[in-house]
Amino acid sequence: QVQLGESGGGLVQPGGSLRLSCAASGFAFSIYEMNWYRQAPGKERELVATITSDGYSMNYADSVKGRFTISRDNAKNTVYLQMNSLKPEDTAVYYCNTWRTIGSITNNYWGKGTLVTVSS
């Protein structure tokens, strides 16, 4: 019963900021890597940020480095994406993700997404 729920999207002007949240339940959140993906219209879903289970190692897509920050609060089972200096090309549906491999099978778990629109 893995459940992921994103929130915090909306309309923002270029150069503005948004903070996305993903509330997780149904699994041992504190021992799983968490990710943020995004999918813009007509494009493939892309990985934008990753954070390790302990919250001390983060990785970012080149397109968002220096602008986005991923963090997590394991006590709240929540992962965040702070987005600064937003650009129109950041417009996308943003998805929270985690994955689990059992034997040779890897399962991905996704939220429903939250829409971020960057426009003047």
Side-chain angles (χ1 to χ4, degrees):
Q1 293 185 303
V2 172
Q3 291 188 320
L4 303 172
E6 304 94 337
S7 62
L11 175 65
V12 64
Q13 293 187 1
S17 298
L18 283 175
R19 189 194 194 202
L20 307 183
S21 298
C22 172
S25 64
F27 67 102
F29 179 83
S30 64
I31 64 171
Y32 282 89
E33 173 189 279
M34 298 297 297
N35 308 289
W36 284 98
Y37 284 75
R38 68 185 181 187
Q39 188 166 26
K43 296 184 178 180
E44 294 186 2
R45 190 171 297 187
E46 64 173 339
L47 176 65
V48 298
T50 294
I51 188 166
T52 56
S53 60
D54 60 10
Y56 286 104
S57 182
M58 292 76 72
N59 286 285
Y60 302 92
D62 288 343
S63 59
V64 306
K65 284 182 179 177
R67 300 188 298 119
F68 290 12
T69 302
I70 188 171
S71 62
R72 67 193 294 162
D73 186 341
N74 284 349
K76 296 182 178 179
N77 284 6
T78 302
V79 62
Y80 306 95
L81 186 68
Q82 178 67 46
M83 305 184 295
N84 299 325
S85 301
L86 284 161
K87 304 174 181 180
E89 48 264 48
D90 294 318
T91 296
V93 177
Y94 284 73
Y95 298 91
C96 182
N97 162 268
T98 191
W99 56 271
R100 180 185 183 189
T101 296
I102 303 175
S104 62
I105 301 173
T106 297
N107 294 113
N108 274 279
Y109 302 94
W110 303 92
K112 294 181 179 179
T114 186
L115 177 63
V116 172
T117 302
V118 184
S119 177
S120 60

